[in-house]
Amino acid sequence: MSRPVVMLLSGPNLNLLGEREPEVYGRATLADHVEAARAEAESLGWELEHHQSNHEGHLIDLIHTARGRCGALIINPGALTHYSRALADALATFEGPTVELHLSNPAAREDWRRVSVVAPVVTGTIAGFGGVGYPLAVRAAVGAGSG
Ligand code: DQA
């Protein structure tokens, strides 16, 4: 039997992790975070599918492909977190558990980062724990619904 799939989505500029503002986001690369998330998913008997895009519409298309196919969804939407109602609407169409994930704690940063337009439609949020958040998010997404 095939394993359930958790989709991990990475939004704009996250492809530059490791080089981009390391004092805020750390020195680990996106590949490092994906590897940690994948190891956690596999230890729980799940498969992890990762996509990164700098384009809002592409992320929305990817969420549509998760509908009816993936058991859970994790997204670090980058700055789209703060203004993309289209992304929020797409997330609301996904039937399984959803985790909003951030390396930094946007609530403790600039005023404009304090608003998340996706927060009202996700199951929960993990923010501010750096790379530790990736395996945590997998555990939360995969565990949600099992008590
Ligand atoms: C981020 C926080 C966002 O405010 C920012 O625009 C990012 C990264 C994080 O992971 O901390 O691109 O989502």
Side-chain angles (χ1 to χ4, degrees):
M1 225 179 69
S2 59
R3 293 175 299 173
V5 179
V6 51
M7 182 180 278
L8 171 63
L9 290 177
S10 302
N13 303 306
L14 296 175
N15 53 309
L16 296 181
L17 287 175
E19 298 169 29
R20 174 193 180 206
E21 299 177 81
E23 65 290 355
V24 178
Y25 300 116
R27 297 228 170 254
T29 64
L30 183 58
D32 295 333
H33 296 311
V34 172
E35 198 179 299
R38 180 164 286 126
E40 187 71 22
E42 286 179 357
S43 79
L44 297 167
W46 285 58
E47 187 181 320
L48 184 126
E49 179 182 313
H50 174 250
H51 305 276
Q52 189 276 329
S53 178
N54 294 322
H55 304 278
E56 181 180 23
H58 188 212
L59 291 164
I60 291 167
D61 287 343
L62 288 163
I63 292 168
H64 293 178
T65 72
R67 298 179 71 240
R69 185 176 65 85
C70 297
L73 197 151
I74 300 164
I75 184 164
N76 183 341
L80 292 171
T81 305
H82 312 299
Y83 64 91
S84 177
R85 295 189 190 279
L87 193 64
D89 277 353
L91 285 169
T93 73
F94 182 72
E95 54 288 317
T98 45
V99 177
E100 175 187 348
L101 172 64
H102 302 284
L103 288 156
S104 68
N105 178 2
R109 299 179 62 195
E110 301 95 317
D111 282 352
W112 63 270
R113 290 187 206 271
R114 295 200 179 137
V115 172
S116 167
V117 299
V118 304
V121 303
V122 294
T123 310
T125 300
I126 294 175
F129 296 101
V132 172
Y134 279 78
L136 274 179
V138 168
R139 199 157 268 276
V142 163
S146 60

